[in-house]
Amino acid sequence: MNIAKAATLAGAVALCAALSACSGDQRPRTERVDPDMRNESGTIWDIFGSRRSPNEAVAVNRYLWNASLEVLNFLPVQSIDPFTGVIVTGYGTPPGGGRAYRATVQVTDPALDARSLRLSLQGPGGTAVAPDTVRAVEDAILTRARQLRVRDGRL
């Protein structure tokens, strides 16, 4: 039993010695390094951290964001995250409507574009909503976003 422990310990020491010998290469580097690909910070912990600065602006379109909140104002907001661009609402009935809906909106890009808007609607109990209804709500949000942009004079 002691021989097995000694062999394991000797193997571990040999492995550590072999690995430490690999780090002693002091030859000058001759390969070309692309300046866009170099690591600025240089520690292993950087791969676990966020590359974004905490002072960086939010990367969602503000007109789509505000238009989504205005068009869906009859729905109670359950959670909202402007940094990821996600709005989750609870169930609510639109004015003049008889069916309750729930919505999840995601604004994925800073561009005022239909591809930047993702909308999911659910009926009571999670039932599917007709694609025409989803399209009508998307169109209403996009139209309102364009109106907000024109109002700000940024067209």
Side-chain angles (χ1 to χ4, degrees):
M1 184 98 109
N2 288 336
I3 295 175
K5 287 184 181 180
T8 304
L9 180 61
V13 169
L15 182 62
C16 288
L19 288 175
S20 66
C22 293
S23 66
D25 186 13
Q26 300 297 322
R27 290 180 289 174
R29 299 183 82 171
T30 58
E31 71 267 8
R32 186 173 174 199
V33 177
D34 184 9
D36 294 332
M37 298 300 289
R38 68 177 167 229
N39 188 355
E40 297 293 330
S41 54
T43 67
I44 186 119
W45 299 109
D46 292 337
I47 62 173
F48 298 110
S50 173
R51 296 262 184 218
R52 295 184 129 183
S53 167
N55 298 325
E56 189 174 312
V58 178
V60 298
N61 185 282
R62 71 178 189 164
Y63 300 112
L64 286 173
W65 181 263
N66 289 332
S68 298
L69 290 172
E70 286 183 25
V71 169
L72 299 173
N73 67 354
F74 64 92
L75 299 174
V77 175
Q78 286 185 339
S79 70
I80 196 166
D81 186 3
F83 296 102
T84 59
V86 177
I87 302 168
V88 179
T89 68
Y91 285 100
T93 306
R99 183 174 180 194
Y101 295 99
R102 155 186 175 163
T104 302
V105 179
Q106 183 180 20
V107 181
T108 60
D109 196 76
L112 179 53
D113 189 58
R115 292 174 292 200
S116 302
L117 178 68
R118 293 186 184 151
L119 174 69
S120 172
L121 288 176
Q122 294 178 341
T127 59
V129 176
D132 294 338
T133 304
V134 175
R135 174 67 77 190
V137 174
E138 285 175 347
D139 289 343
I141 291 171
L142 291 167
T143 300
R144 182 62 185 146
R146 288 183 196 106
Q147 290 170 351
L148 292 172
R149 184 175 171 189
V150 168
R151 184 187 71 191
D152 280 355
R154 294 183 180 238
L155 186 61

